[in-house]
Amino acid sequence: MAGGLGQVLQALEGPPALRLQANLRAELATFQAEFGACLPAGALEELLGTALVAQAHGVSSLGNGSEARNWDLPSALLFTASLLTTTGYGHMAPLSAGGKAFCVASAALGLPASLAFVAALRHCLVPLLSRPGAWVATRWKLTPPRAALLQAVALGLLVVGVFVLLPALVLWGVQGNCSLLEAIYFCFSSLSTIGLGDLLPSHGSGLHPVLYHLCQFALLGYLLLGLLAMLLTVETFSELPQVRAMVKFFGSSGPVNAEDEGAILGQDELALSNMPPSAAAPAQAPAC
């Protein structure tokens, strides 16, 4: 399956990557033809290499003053949230040895704490979310499996609308250099904790510093609330009888554990105890 997906991506992304590489080489050749006489040999390549290394750590001299300080408080909080939620946008990276050690320690301690906190919230919110489904089932006289399916579908549509489509529309309106498809792609990659880092709100868009920091705080809240909503939705769908039956069907081919073996032996003993005595033991042949 992975090989087939890789071939599809190769067919889709190979030609655009080649075109981009050709355009870059053409721009570089044009620049060297116009200004090559004013630059020492290899100076441009050295400058571009230094800029690319800095860009890989989130440091850039391009843009306005709102992006000059990468490690201000909003940026540091957003980096911490992307670290603890395993999103990892990759737009920033620690440069110092102390920063890298702190990231390792904070991730080692913060990830279990985050999972425990999310589990506690899920334990409190799941009963609240089941009340509308119970009310609908009582009013419409639905069977429990159908009511659970209706509740899961409604919750899934609500999460997609509130945490994918609506933020994508807002991002599309605020960020002028991305399409609606790119905005939906960013929201999905964020909530699925993929976080490829190729898109980031307000990055390189020339926003006012105050608006830029507000976007970072909004993204921080979006990550926390959106991931919680996604976990609740996945938990709701995983409890559906249809999903559990499917998991049980595909998981029944695995090795038999002690509990299943005990159940099988119990069924065999029950079957033997219900057999008539004539069938339980064959009659002995008369002695000669």
Side-chain angles (χ1 to χ4, degrees):
M1 182 177 179
L5 294 178
Q7 291 178 356
V8 172
L9 284 176
Q10 182 181 9
L12 292 175
E13 296 298 326
L18 292 176
R19 288 195 298 268
L20 182 61
Q21 187 179 19
N23 293 335
L24 180 60
R25 289 178 177 176
E27 292 290 338
L28 182 60
T30 303
F31 182 86
Q32 289 178 342
E34 294 182 2
F35 306 101
C38 304
L39 295 175
L44 179 61
E45 288 78 4
E46 183 178 358
L47 175 61
L48 291 177
T50 304
L52 290 176
V53 170
Q55 184 68 31
H57 289 83
V59 179
S60 177
S61 61
L62 302 177
N64 56 12
S66 65
E67 298 173 304
R69 298 179 57 189
N70 287 349
W71 291 103
D72 50 12
L73 182 59
S75 301
L77 289 176
L78 179 59
F79 174 79
T80 304
S82 65
L83 181 67
L84 296 181
T85 58
T86 68
T87 304
Y89 286 117
H91 66 296
M92 294 171 59
L95 295 171
S96 63
K100 295 176 182 178
F102 179 77
C103 286
V104 172
S106 61
L109 298 176
L111 286 176
S114 300
L115 292 176
F117 179 69
V118 169
L121 285 179
R122 180 186 60 82
H123 182 72
C124 296
L125 292 177
V126 166
L128 295 177
L129 294 176
S130 62
R131 292 180 181 178
W135 181 82
V136 171
T138 303
R139 185 175 181 84
W140 291 353
K141 297 180 180 180
L142 300 176
T143 59
R146 182 168 295 182
L149 179 60
L150 180 62
Q151 177 184 351
V153 171
L155 181 60
L157 293 177
L158 180 63
V159 170
V160 169
V162 174
F163 291 98
V164 177
L165 296 180
L166 183 60
L169 290 174
V170 174
L171 180 61
W172 182 39
V174 174
Q175 192 98 353
N177 57 352
C178 73
S179 62
L180 181 59
L181 178 60
E182 290 176 337
I184 296 176
Y185 163 76
F186 167 78
C187 294
F188 175 79
S189 63
S190 297
L191 296 184
S192 59
T193 68
I194 298 174
L196 297 176
D198 52 342
L199 291 176
L200 194 67
S202 71
H203 189 74
S205 58
L207 296 177
H208 190 272
V210 177
L211 185 58
Y212 176 75
H213 292 321
L214 288 178
C215 289
Q216 288 181 315
F217 281 118
L219 180 57
L220 175 63
Y222 171 74
L223 277 179
L224 300 178
L225 295 178
L227 289 176
L228 179 60
M230 286 291 292
L231 289 176
L232 291 175
T233 305
V234 172
E235 177 71 17
T236 303
F237 273 93
S238 64
E239 294 296 329
L240 289 176
Q242 296 87 345
V243 176
R244 299 181 70 175
M246 186 181 301
V247 172
K248 184 177 180 181
F249 174 77
F250 285 104
S252 60
S253 59
V256 179
N257 53 25
E259 183 179 357
D260 295 335
E261 186 177 357
I264 294 173
L265 292 176
Q267 292 177 0
D268 293 340
E269 292 177 358
L270 181 61
L272 290 175
S273 64
N274 292 330
M275 291 177 61
S278 60
Q284 295 183 355
C288 296

